[in-house]
Amino acid sequence: MAPSAPTPYPVPRMTATRARAERYVVHGGAVLRGTVRISGAKNAALAFMCASLLTDDDLILTNVPDIRDAWSLSQLLVALGATVERLDANTFRLSGRGVSTYEAPSELITENRASFQVMGPMLARHGYASSVPPGGDVIGQRPIDVHLSGFEAMGATVTREGEHYVARAPNGPGSLRGARIFLDYPSVSGTQNVMMAATLAKGHTTIVNAATEPEVQQLAHLLNAMGARISGIGNQILEIDGVESLHGTEFRVMPDRIEAGTYAIAAAMTGGDVRLEDAPADVMDALWMKLTAAGVQVEREAPNIVRVAREGRLRAVSFQALPYPGLATDLHAPMAALLTQAHGVSIIHERVFDNRMLYVGELRKMGAEIVSTGSSAIVSGPTPLHGARVRALDVRAGAAVMLAALVAQGTTVIDEIHHLDRGYERLDAKLRALGVDVERTA
């Protein structure tokens, strides 16, 4: 239960220029040692927050990462009329009570892609939802027709009105109908959006070719805790029996497998020795296998504690970025940074997004030997990296240049770090605790 008399924590206000003029200054040569606690998963927390629109009751979320994307989504929910209360740095109490507008503000939708997931809950409960196309990282085509075709299969009419997509249920609030829905692509956000809408649809819904990522599974478990009836969790076919209403609950956001992977790669890249506390080790097999193949020691010391260390040289490895349980696309860029220090030639294939290679040009500025061809990259190593002025062009490209800066000779200045703020909680503080000389400056 929530604390009886919580100390109010403000939700940081987002502005067009917030953090955009800030940068990281990193002095290279670090060898990471120590322990780092992994924060809550960004991709789970944002979907959970959207799920609060499905009920008037209080939804209490713990272990929410204190990141820019959570702040902007909080403001979007408030703009819709929902209640958002920050009980402490990582705990939110949310409710769909008070929602009075069903058109999501454009400037907040374009702040991050997860915001489009308000569409499903609003359509299901209120019979109407309107939104501009989602924003977020420019990492390739992430078509929203998976979302929209799912809504249409449940009886909604979807039109394009100016810059907005508008979805209307056939007969107003609560009139979506269960259906058998095939997703052209196992989209994570598409699966989550359609699944949330289906919880309140009349009758039975089957989602075929659903995404199976751990964050999707956790959303299904949260919805069931709120009174939904979802089965097949973790499989590519989800079965959902619609219910009349959902209720509140308290739920902990799972640890972030991408943040855990980033720190594991940092330990391996610098020849360090780092313990990851509260790491979701059971859903990270693909990364553990590739790190081990590269000559890194990965040791499970407890169910959620993993030690990552390296003493010998790194070996080249090749990999494909794939939907779960494959190696996560969000770890593609950090792994590429690691492979610049590996002996031999590594080949990377991106199978999820068609513009994941934004990091390549930035790493080349630092001396990396990378050739990109379409959705593939060839990394030759090891190459001595040197400090340079680079940009964090998206969340994970930013992680890649930060990792490169750790081993680079000299000083690296990373601009546009608002992208890193979107996905990494207290990144500079956590790195300093592990021995990195990093400063955030205006």
Side-chain angles (χ1 to χ4, degrees):
M1 297 300 293
S4 58
T7 301
Y9 273 62
V11 175
R13 294 296 301 169
M14 304 301 300
T15 67
T17 59
R18 187 187 190 279
R20 293 182 186 276
E22 293 184 304
R23 55 189 56 87
Y24 281 131
V25 179
V26 187
H27 300 285
V31 177
L32 272 65
R33 298 188 185 280
T35 299
V36 61
R37 193 192 75 80
I38 303 306
S39 300
K42 174 177 89 81
N43 293 335
L46 300 179
F48 291 5
M49 293 172 71
C50 293
S52 68
L53 295 173
L54 289 165
T55 179
D56 284 346
D57 293 345
D58 288 343
L59 174 62
I60 298 171
L61 299 178
T62 61
N63 202 37
V64 177
D66 187 10
I67 56 174
R68 183 181 175 92
D69 273 7
W71 307 339
S72 64
L73 184 53
S74 296
Q75 292 185 25
L76 170 59
L77 295 175
V78 169
L80 294 172
T83 300
V84 179
E85 184 180 4
R86 195 172 179 219
L87 304 182
D88 61 42
N90 302 108
T91 305
F92 281 81
R93 178 159 54 204
L94 310 101
S95 168
R97 182 174 55 252
V99 169
S100 56
T101 181
Y102 314 115
E103 183 172 303
S106 301
E107 68 275 12
L108 295 176
I109 285 290
T110 56
E111 182 71 30
N112 74 71
R113 184 171 183 83
S115 298
F116 197 71
Q117 292 180 81
V118 303
M119 287 283 286
M122 287 198 301
L123 177 63
R125 280 199 75 200
H126 305 290
Y128 180 92
S130 173
S131 175
V132 297
D137 290 331
V138 185
I139 54 176
Q141 294 297 316
R142 297 195 276 186
I144 59 173
D145 54 355
V146 169
H147 306 240
L148 302 179
S149 62
F151 300 155
E152 289 177 326
M154 288 184 281
T157 300
V158 178
T159 57
R160 185 71 182 262
E161 300 179 12
E163 64 176 355
H164 286 77
Y165 288 98
V166 178
R168 296 177 175 87
N171 296 298
S175 64
L176 290 182
R177 303 185 300 269
R180 188 174 181 88
I181 302 170
F182 175 78
L183 305 185
D184 283 338
Y185 175 79
S187 160
V188 170
S189 60
T191 301
Q192 291 172 326
N193 218 352
V194 173
M195 178 169 60
M196 285 190 283
T199 60
L200 297 181
K202 297 182 182 298
H204 185 81
T205 296
T206 300
I207 302 176
V208 181
N209 200 28
T212 62
E213 271 70 7
E215 296 79 12
V216 176
Q217 298 181 42
Q218 285 295 297
L219 176 61
H221 288 304
L222 166 65
L223 294 171
N224 280 349
M226 296 171 66
R229 298 174 61 191
I230 303 172
S231 60
I233 298 172
N235 299 313
Q236 289 188 298
I237 298 179
L238 291 173
E239 306 286 354
I240 305 167
D241 290 305
V243 297
E244 288 292 327
S245 63
L246 298 180
H247 54 73
T249 191
E250 182 172 337
F251 205 87
R252 184 177 188 271
V253 176
M254 67 176 287
D256 196 318
R257 61 194 174 109
I258 307 305
E259 186 194 35
T262 301
Y263 285 109
I265 293 168
M269 193 168 180
T270 63
D273 189 335
V274 174
R275 281 178 172 79
L276 311 174
E277 286 190 347
D278 205 15
D282 287 340
V283 297
M284 298 178 65
D285 293 291
L287 177 64
W288 303 146
M289 184 188 74
K290 289 301 178 182
L291 289 180
T292 300
V296 180
Q297 179 185 353
V298 178
E299 180 184 356
R300 293 278 294 272
E301 295 187 341
N304 290 318
I305 298 178
V306 181
R307 177 189 173 206
V308 180
R310 178 178 66 85
E311 294 182 356
R313 71 180 196 174
L314 283 168
R315 298 188 292 267
V317 295
S318 296
F319 69 87
Q320 299 184 75
L322 295 164
Y324 185 80
L327 188 72
T329 180
D330 283 349
L331 289 175
H332 168 163
M335 278 292 291
L338 171 76
L339 295 173
T340 66
Q341 303 306 295
H343 290 253
V345 176
S346 304
I347 300 174
I348 302 169
H349 298 293
E350 173 62 42
R351 304 300 191 194
V352 180
F353 296 125
D354 57 11
N355 196 24
R356 185 55 97 174
M357 303 293 178
L358 295 178
Y359 67 89
V360 171
E362 302 306 300
L363 291 185
R364 283 176 179 163
K365 293 177 184 177
M366 303 177 71
E369 293 186 12
I370 306 177
V371 177
S372 60
T373 57
S375 59
S376 299
I378 302 171
V379 185
S380 301
T383 52
L385 301 181
H386 54 77
R389 187 151 198 161
V390 293
R391 295 180 295 163
L393 293 175
D394 62 57
V395 179
R396 309 310 172 185
V401 295
M402 174 61 82
L403 291 170
L406 301 181
V407 300
Q409 182 177 4
T411 299
T412 299
V413 177
I414 305 174
D415 291 311
E416 301 182 34
I417 62 173
H418 59 279
H419 285 299
L420 284 163
D421 291 341
R422 291 184 47 223
Y424 291 93
E425 179 179 40
R426 300 186 302 110
L427 176 62
D428 53 334
K430 288 186 177 184
L431 287 174
R432 279 194 295 270
L434 295 173
V436 178
D437 186 350
V438 55
E439 181 183 4
R440 185 181 185 120
T441 65

